[in-house]
């Protein structure tokens, strides 16, 4: 696609004409800057992009500008330079970024975040080739900060959209790889908490409260999994008041007694727990996508967001999908009629996810994976 305008170098409004994107078999770029600050789930999608670029061009220097919190997930990925940005730091953080990037130039910028903050940060990155999203997926004047767009494609999962950036650079196709290191100390911690028992994780909260399900439903899941499959149920989550309140409500309604790790599982510990567990139940959240890194099956709970776009990539067949029903009830349109990526973050939307539908997906997963007790589903 022809350049609309190019990137601002050192804050200038001038745009350079980019070289043609490298194609497979041609000289690889010597350096690539990836701009994706957040959120945790999207950063896991970025892991697959980085791994593909490294496989295609092992000698290319990769620099990733990333949020300070999200950096905790990927900080130990080999051969990647991370430059962190704390969004709470404001202009002071931008000044620090400017100092870190001053005098540097990259062969390509992959501008993978459409937000005003990311656009401002992108002006600090000097590169003749600046790849961004197609018009339909752009906002906040994103098109003014890039000079090449990935191909427009409707109905695309976010993971596949990220992979389009590698396609645009000419990286060779490769099997998707979400591998991210898990320290042995965190694996030891997870093994200690689980005690060697078959375990089923519940991560009940998203950072978006209107994507969260209800305590009664999670308690019903816990009781079903413990009673039918004899599994140990483990509650996971961060230290926020919302997560603690939800965890207490679930515990209060359970007839079984889950292991309560809410507030104790750091990002790497969560990865370790996922790697040692049979499955995870979660709404649209960071942990639901982190599970892809460990190839742990996820029963995703979706009404506020479309699982075809943002569900756990390897587990979309196990998701409970009430998104169309939510669109009809709250937006008076079908899922096909709303814009791709529309959220239905409305009070009561997640109540359209029924316990019966969740149990149906759990039982189907149990049968497919041969869990004891699941053979006759």
């Amino acid at each position: 696609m022809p350049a609309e305008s190019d990137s601002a170098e050192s804050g200038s409004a001038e745009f350079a004409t980019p070289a043609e994107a490298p194609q497979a078999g041609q000289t690889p770029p010597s350096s690539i800057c990836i701009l994706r600050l957040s959120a945790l789930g999207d950063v896991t999608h970025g892991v697959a992009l980085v791994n593909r670029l490294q496989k295609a061009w092992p000698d290319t220097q990769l620099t990733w500008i990333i949020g300070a919190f999200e950096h905790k997930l990927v900080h130990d990925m080999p051969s990647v330079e991370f430059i962190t940005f704390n969004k709470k730091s404001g202009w002071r953080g931008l000044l620090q970024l400017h100092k870190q990037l001053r005098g540097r130039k990259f062969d390509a910028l992959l501008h993978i975040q459409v937000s005003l903050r990311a656009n401002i940060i992108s002006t600090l990155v000097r590169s003749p080739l600046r790849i961004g999203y197609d018009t339909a997926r752009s906002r906040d004047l994103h098109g003014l900060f890039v000079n090449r767009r990935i191909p427009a494609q409707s109905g695309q999962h976010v993971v596949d959209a990220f992979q389009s950036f590698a396609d645009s650079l000419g990286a060779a196709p490769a099997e998707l790889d979400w591998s991210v290191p898990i320290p042995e100390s965190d694996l030891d911690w997870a093994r200690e908490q689980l005690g060697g028992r078959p375990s089923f994780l519940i991560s009940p909260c998203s950072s978006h409260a209107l994507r969260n399900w209800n305590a009664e439903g999670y308690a019903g899941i816990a009781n079903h999994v413990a009673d039918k499959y004899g599994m140990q149920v483990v509650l996971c989550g961060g230290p926020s008041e919302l997560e603690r309140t939800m965890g207490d409500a679930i515990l209060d309604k359970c007839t079984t007694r889950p292991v309560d790790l809410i507030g104790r599982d750091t990002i790497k510990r969560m990865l370790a727990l996922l790697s040692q567990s049979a499955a995870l139940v979660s709404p649209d959240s960071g942990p639901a996508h982190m599970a892809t890194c460990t190839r742990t099956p996820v029963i995703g709970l979706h009404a506020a967001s479309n699982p075809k776009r943002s569900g756990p990539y390897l587990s979309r067949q196990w998701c409970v999908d009430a998104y169309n029903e939510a669109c009809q009830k709250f937006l008076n349109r079908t899922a096909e009629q709303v814009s791709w990526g529309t959220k239905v973050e409305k009070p009561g939307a997640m109540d359209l996810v029924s316990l019966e539908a969740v149990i149906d997906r759990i039982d189907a997963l149990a049968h497919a994976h041969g869990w004891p007790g699941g053979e006759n589903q």
Side-chain angles (χ1 to χ4, degrees), residues 66-82:
I66 191 171
F69 174 73
E70 291 77 9
H71 181 239
K72 297 176 181 179
L73 173 66
V74 296
H75 68 90
D76 48 0
M77 289 187 71
S79 303
V80 182
E81 175 195 21
F82 291 98

Side-chain angles (χ1 to χ4, degrees), residues 267-343:
I267 289 178
K268 289 292 191 179
R269 284 180 173 182
M270 183 66 193
L271 271 180
L273 286 170
L274 287 164
S275 74
Q276 304 294 311
S277 298
L280 168 74
V281 164
S282 178
D284 188 357
S285 66
H289 299 292
M290 289 166 60
T292 303
C293 296
T294 61
R295 298 188 176 265
T296 304
V298 182
I299 295 90
L301 310 181
H302 287 262
S305 60
N306 187 347
K308 295 180 178 65
R309 176 186 179 273
S310 59
Y313 192 76
L314 299 179
S315 295
R316 283 170 285 176
Q317 71 270 39
W318 309 124
C319 289
V320 177
D321 184 1
Y323 178 70
N324 184 56
E325 188 178 352
C327 287
Q328 292 176 319
K329 180 173 181 178
F330 293 97
L331 304 180
N332 296 315
R333 303 173 74 185
T334 67
E336 289 73 26
Q337 292 171 330
V338 300
S339 300
W340 189 250
T342 296
K343 301 292 193 300

Side-chain angles (χ1 to χ4, degrees), residues 50-109:
V50 166
N51 285 336
R52 177 178 168 189
L53 293 174
Q54 287 185 323
K55 183 174 182 180
W57 301 311
D59 295 326
T60 296
Q61 173 59 51
L62 299 181
T63 298
W64 187 343
I65 302 175
I66 191 171
F69 174 73
E70 291 77 9
H71 181 239
K72 297 176 181 179
L73 173 66
V74 296
H75 68 90
D76 48 0
M77 289 187 71
S79 303
V80 182
E81 175 195 21
F82 291 98
I83 299 178
T84 60
F85 177 77
N86 187 338
K87 64 182 180 181
K88 296 180 181 179
S89 63
W91 291 108
R92 181 178 298 178
L94 288 172
L95 179 60
Q96 179 61 32
L97 269 181
H98 174 67
K99 291 178 179 178
Q100 290 177 273
L101 292 167
R102 185 168 50 199
R104 300 184 62 177
K105 189 173 182 179
F106 302 88
D107 286 349
L109 167 68

Side-chain angles (χ1 to χ4, degrees), residues 7-187:
S7 76
E9 291 197 10
S10 302
S12 167
E14 293 292 328
F15 288 92
T17 301
E20 289 299 315
Q23 299 300 313
Q26 295 185 1
T27 302
S30 62
S31 61
I32 299 171
C33 181
I34 299 168
L35 174 53
R36 182 73 212 193
L37 302 172
S38 61
L40 196 58
D42 290 309
V43 167
T44 67
H45 307 332
V47 167
L49 172 62
V50 166
N51 285 336
R52 177 178 168 189
L53 293 174
Q54 287 185 323
K55 183 174 182 180
W57 301 311
D59 295 326
T60 296
Q61 173 59 51
L62 299 181
T63 298
W64 187 343
I65 302 175
I66 191 171
F69 174 73
E70 291 77 9
H71 181 239
K72 297 176 181 179
L73 173 66
V74 296
H75 68 90
D76 48 0
M77 289 187 71
S79 303
V80 182
E81 175 195 21
F82 291 98
I83 299 178
T84 60
F85 177 77
N86 187 338
K87 64 182 180 181
K88 296 180 181 179
S89 63
W91 291 108
R92 181 178 298 178
L94 288 172
L95 179 60
Q96 179 61 32
L97 269 181
H98 174 67
K99 291 178 179 178
Q100 290 177 273
L101 292 167
R102 185 168 50 199
R104 300 184 62 177
K105 189 173 182 179
F106 302 88
D107 286 349
L109 167 68
L110 307 186
H111 189 352
I112 310 181
Q113 185 148 357
V114 285
S115 71
L116 182 58
R117 178 184 291 113
N119 287 339
I120 293 171
I121 289 173
S122 77
T123 66
L124 305 178
V125 180
R126 298 181 64 221
S127 175
L129 176 60
R130 309 172 69 87
I131 303 176
Y133 287 99
D134 56 281
T135 303
R137 287 178 281 193
S138 296
R139 64 174 185 269
D140 293 335
L141 304 177
H142 177 77
L144 297 179
F145 300 85
V146 301
N147 56 25
R148 180 165 297 165
R149 295 179 182 270
I150 61 173
Q153 184 168 336
S154 61
Q156 192 174 45
H157 192 282
V158 178
V159 167
D160 296 318
F162 278 31
Q163 291 296 311
S164 294
F165 285 82
D167 295 338
S168 294
L169 275 178
E175 182 180 354
L176 293 180
D177 176 12
W178 287 266
S179 300
V180 63
I182 306 176
E184 194 63 34
S185 60
D186 293 306
L187 289 169

